[in-house]
């Protein structure tokens, strides 16, 4: 059963009448905790932790494993910390000085401000009536002189919507500068299925038509060679399986959302990560300094890794002055 071990740092909390709870850090707007009703093997419903967030303030300060980080203005790795945009070469050092590579963007280092929330006086309705969700919206800005190698001005906004058995996220970027800017958006949550100390008795299903093929540095191969045709993934037992791979061309359900599933095959219970477009990156947590394979990272991303350096992603990352782009995704409980 969940216990509140959320690190004591500045954060905003949402409470839903169902017992669901969301805790979001004001630094980085990362999800520190998401708890929701969950029916255990004994048939008793409890509120359980569904993300493997930061365990303490030291992990928060270190951005350990980029847990639940919002990724912007680039996702995953940027090859050599370099890119060329509109004929100008830019060099971006590692976002954090202790990181060996330039990766995951710097939205996770920004101070975010709450600009809207809808959770006042939540009331449990009469039996049979739907319980409305609660939400919070946070905003941060990227100044053109604040980050080496990224001389562009952005306004970033994230909306979190909490319901009894789901967490919805919409991440937005607006170009506040006078020139076009490269932008890619994503999310880096680590998900856990209650009752499982590791992921080894879980299975993964990805509705993808292509697996992204990478080199030894986990960078996608050039052009069409980056895409290997597959007929979906799974249900794949995760015992002994090591993944740090992206999947593309996702099949959608009737509601237009593509869903990647992590579940217990014995009970059918688990989590579904949905997204309205883009790719999904799956990392099984091998090699983490702490809590290795305790959770699986299922990361919705708009574009390929190293998209700033790929001609086939140029149109996808380009954001014109005044333009706004948003990326919607979330997680649902599979009962």
């Amino acid at each position: 059963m969940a216990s509140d071990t959320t690190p004591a740092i500045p954060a905003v909390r949402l409470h839903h009448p169902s017992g669901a709870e969301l805790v979001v850090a004001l630094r980085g707007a990362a999800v520190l905790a998401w708890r929701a009703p969950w029916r255990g093997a004994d048939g008793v419903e409890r509120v359980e932790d569904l993300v493997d967030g930061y365990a303490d303030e030291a992990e928060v300060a270190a951005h350990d494993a980029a847990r639940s980080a919002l990724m912007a203005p680039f996702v995953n790795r940027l090859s050599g910390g370099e890119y060329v945009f509109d004929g100008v070469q830019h060099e971006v050092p590692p976002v954090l000085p202790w990181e060996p590579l330039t990766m995951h963007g710097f939205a996770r280092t920004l101070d975010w401000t709450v600009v809207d929330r809808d959770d006042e006086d939540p009331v449990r309705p009469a039996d049979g009536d739907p319980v409305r969700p609660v939400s919070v919206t946070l905003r941060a800005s990227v100044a053109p002189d604040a980050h080496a190698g990224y001389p562009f001005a952005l306004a970033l906004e994230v909306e979190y919507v909490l319901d009894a058995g789901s967490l919805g996220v919409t991440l937005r970027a607006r170009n506040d500068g006078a020139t076009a800017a490269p932008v890619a958006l994503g999310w880096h949550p680590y998900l856990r299925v209650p009752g499982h100390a590791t992921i080894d008795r879980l299975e993964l299903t990805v509705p993808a038509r292509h697996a992204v093929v990478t080199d030894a540095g986990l960078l996608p191969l050039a052009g069409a060679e980056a895409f290997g045709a597959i007929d979906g993934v799974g249900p794949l037992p995760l015992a002994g399986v090591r993944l740090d791979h992206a999947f593309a061309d996702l099949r959608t359900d009737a509601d237009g959302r593509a869903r990647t599933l992590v579940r217990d095959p014995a009970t059918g219970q688990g989590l579904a990560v949905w997204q309205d477009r883009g790719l999904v990156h799956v990392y099984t947590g091998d090699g983490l300094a702490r809590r290795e394979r305790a959770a699986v990272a299922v990361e919705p991303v708009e574009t390929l890794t190293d998209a700033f350096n790929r001609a086939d992603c140029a149109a996808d990352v380009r954001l014109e002055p005044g333009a706004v782009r948003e990326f919607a995704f979330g997680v649902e409980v599979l009962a």
Side-chain angles (χ1 to χ4, degrees), residues 191-227:
L191 304 177
R192 62 180 303 272
V193 175
H196 293 264
T198 77
I199 65 173
D200 290 334
R201 290 191 292 113
L202 302 177
E203 65 181 21
L204 172 75
T205 303
V206 186
R209 296 184 180 91
H210 290 93
V212 176
V213 184
T214 61
D215 62 17
L218 297 181
L219 295 171
L221 300 185
E225 292 184 0
F227 300 97

Side-chain angles (χ1 to χ4, degrees), residues 114-150:
V114 175
V115 295
D116 188 39
R117 62 185 299 167
D118 180 14
D119 66 334
E120 292 185 2
D121 302 320
V123 176
R124 183 182 294 277
D127 289 346
D129 292 338
V131 183
R132 68 176 179 87
V134 295
S135 64
V136 64
T137 301
L138 299 93
R139 189 174 296 157
S141 61
V142 176
D145 58 353
H147 304 277
Y150 195 81

Side-chain angles (χ1 to χ4, degrees), residues 21-23 31-36 48-54 67-68 167 187-194 271 291 294-296 331:
E21 181 184 22
L22 178 70
V23 185
V31 172
L32 298 179
W34 171 41
R35 305 180 179 102
E48 295 279 7
D49 286 298
L50 301 178
V51 297
D52 186 15
Y54 297 109
R67 296 179 184 276
S68 292
L167 174 62
W187 190 38
H188 201 293
Y190 287 79
L191 304 177
R192 62 180 303 272
V193 175
L271 299 169
R291 305 195 298 285
V296 57
V331 192

Side-chain angles (χ1 to χ4, degrees), residues 37-321:
W38 185 276
R39 191 167 301 281
D42 58 3
V44 177
E45 187 176 273
R46 303 174 177 86
V47 175
E48 295 279 7
D49 286 298
L50 301 178
V51 297
D52 186 15
Y54 297 109
D56 52 39
E57 293 177 66
E59 285 194 359
V60 173
H63 296 260
D64 181 65
R67 296 179 184 276
S68 292
L70 296 174
M71 293 188 285
F74 52 89
V75 299
N76 294 323
R77 303 172 186 224
L78 186 62
S79 179
E82 300 178 342
Y83 67 98
V84 175
F85 186 75
D86 281 352
V88 179
Q89 178 150 345
H90 303 277
E91 297 185 4
V92 184
V95 175
L96 299 167
W98 52 85
E99 291 181 337
L101 302 170
T102 302
M103 56 186 179
H104 301 332
F106 37 77
R108 57 198 172 112
T109 70
L110 301 177
D111 290 317
W112 294 67
T113 301
V114 175
V115 295
D116 188 39
R117 62 185 299 167
D118 180 14
D119 66 334
E120 292 185 2
D121 302 320
V123 176
R124 183 182 294 277
D127 289 346
D129 292 338
V131 183
R132 68 176 179 87
V134 295
S135 64
V136 64
T137 301
L138 299 93
R139 189 174 296 157
S141 61
V142 176
D145 58 353
H147 304 277
Y150 195 81
F152 306 101
L154 299 179
L156 299 176
E157 186 175 275
V158 62
E159 179 185 21
Y160 288 104
V161 179
L162 178 69
D163 214 335
S166 66
L167 174 62
V169 189
T170 302
L171 181 57
R172 303 181 184 93
R174 184 183 70 232
N175 184 350
D176 282 350
T179 63
V183 178
L185 307 175
W187 190 38
H188 201 293
Y190 287 79
L191 304 177
R192 62 180 303 272
V193 175
H196 293 264
T198 77
I199 65 173
D200 290 334
R201 290 191 292 113
L202 302 177
E203 65 181 21
L204 172 75
T205 303
V206 186
R209 296 184 180 91
H210 290 93
V212 176
V213 184
T214 61
D215 62 17
L218 297 181
L219 295 171
L221 300 185
E225 292 184 0
F227 300 97
I230 60 174
D231 186 17
V233 174
L236 172 67
L238 289 177
V241 172
R242 299 168 65 96
L243 291 174
D244 196 352
H245 294 77
F247 301 91
D249 196 10
L250 303 177
R251 295 182 176 91
T252 58
D253 295 327
D255 61 0
R257 294 175 172 180
R259 288 174 170 83
T260 298
L261 312 181
V262 179
R263 65 167 72 202
D264 179 346
T267 65
Q269 290 182 296
L271 299 169
V273 176
W274 65 265
Q275 55 197 95
D276 63 1
R277 66 179 193 284
L279 298 83
V280 65
H281 191 104
V282 180
Y283 172 46
T284 47
D286 302 279
L288 291 181
R290 290 178 285 275
R291 305 195 298 285
E292 182 177 24
R293 294 182 66 85
V296 57
V298 180
E299 310 161 32
V301 292
E302 280 194 303
T303 64
L304 282 168
T305 292
D306 201 33
F308 285 13
N309 287 308
R310 298 182 62 92
D312 54 358
C313 293
D316 296 331
V317 303
R318 189 178 187 86
L319 191 64
E320 297 294 343

